[in-house]
Amino acid sequence: MPAIINWLYKNTTAYATIFYDSAANVVTGPTTTWTGNTSPTYADVLTVQYSSTYVYVSTSGLASHIMGPWYNNAAHSSAFPNLPTNQNSISRIPLTPAVAATKSNTGGGAQGRWANGVAMFNMLDFFSWSNTSQADVGGGG
């Protein structure tokens, strides 16, 4: 069953790493700890369990590849203040998905999971890039 076996386990024992130095507020190099994530955290999918009707995917929500750097402006002179953190999340996914009888718009927040356990968001989630101001701006969810 793809919903049970197609998760990325390869780097489950690797720590999540980002390019950031919060003390200097500049991007300097890879680190496994940062503001909001003060202890090294395992990356990718941590466990997958299942019942006759659902798959339960446990994840930190952090990728095993080096994440970042992120900037607030096109000149890369201001580091983006929102950093990823351990979400310690369990997603419940039906083994037999069905089309919803009543359709509705998605809200803000995660809409699904990539194969490595990182949350996937819809294109309307809260921030978007403005070419005019060359910065992230608040969006809608």
Side-chain angles (χ1 to χ4, degrees):
M1 295 211 115
I4 296 172
I5 62 172
N6 283 355
W7 296 97
L8 183 63
Y9 293 101
K10 180 179 172 186
N11 299 308
T12 297
T13 59
Y15 288 127
T17 305
I18 69 169
F19 270 102
Y20 190 77
D21 178 355
S22 62
N25 198 31
V26 296
V27 177
T28 59
T31 181
T32 58
T33 60
W34 56 88
T35 302
N37 205 70
T38 57
S39 298
T41 303
Y42 289 122
D44 291 346
V45 171
L46 304 175
T47 62
V48 175
Q49 299 172 319
Y50 61 94
S51 68
S52 60
T53 53
Y54 291 100
V55 176
Y56 300 89
V57 180
S58 299
T59 178
S60 65
L62 299 170
S64 59
H65 60 80
I66 296 176
M67 298 174 285
W70 304 278
Y71 300 98
N72 250 351
N73 59 7
H76 296 181
S77 61
S78 174
F80 189 69
N82 299 329
L83 301 176
T85 59
N86 180 0
Q87 299 300 300
N88 193 25
S89 174
I90 300 174
S91 294
R92 184 178 79 162
I93 302 166
L95 278 175
T96 309
V99 175
T102 304
K103 310 291 192 280
S104 62
N105 291 332
T106 57
Q111 303 300 308
R113 296 270 167 209
W114 296 106
N116 65 352
V118 173
M120 120 184 14
F121 295 84
N122 74 23
M123 66 180 185
L124 301 175
D125 194 63
F126 301 113
F127 285 96
S128 62
W129 184 258
S130 166
N131 280 331
T132 303
S133 64
Q134 290 293 294
D136 278 317
V137 294

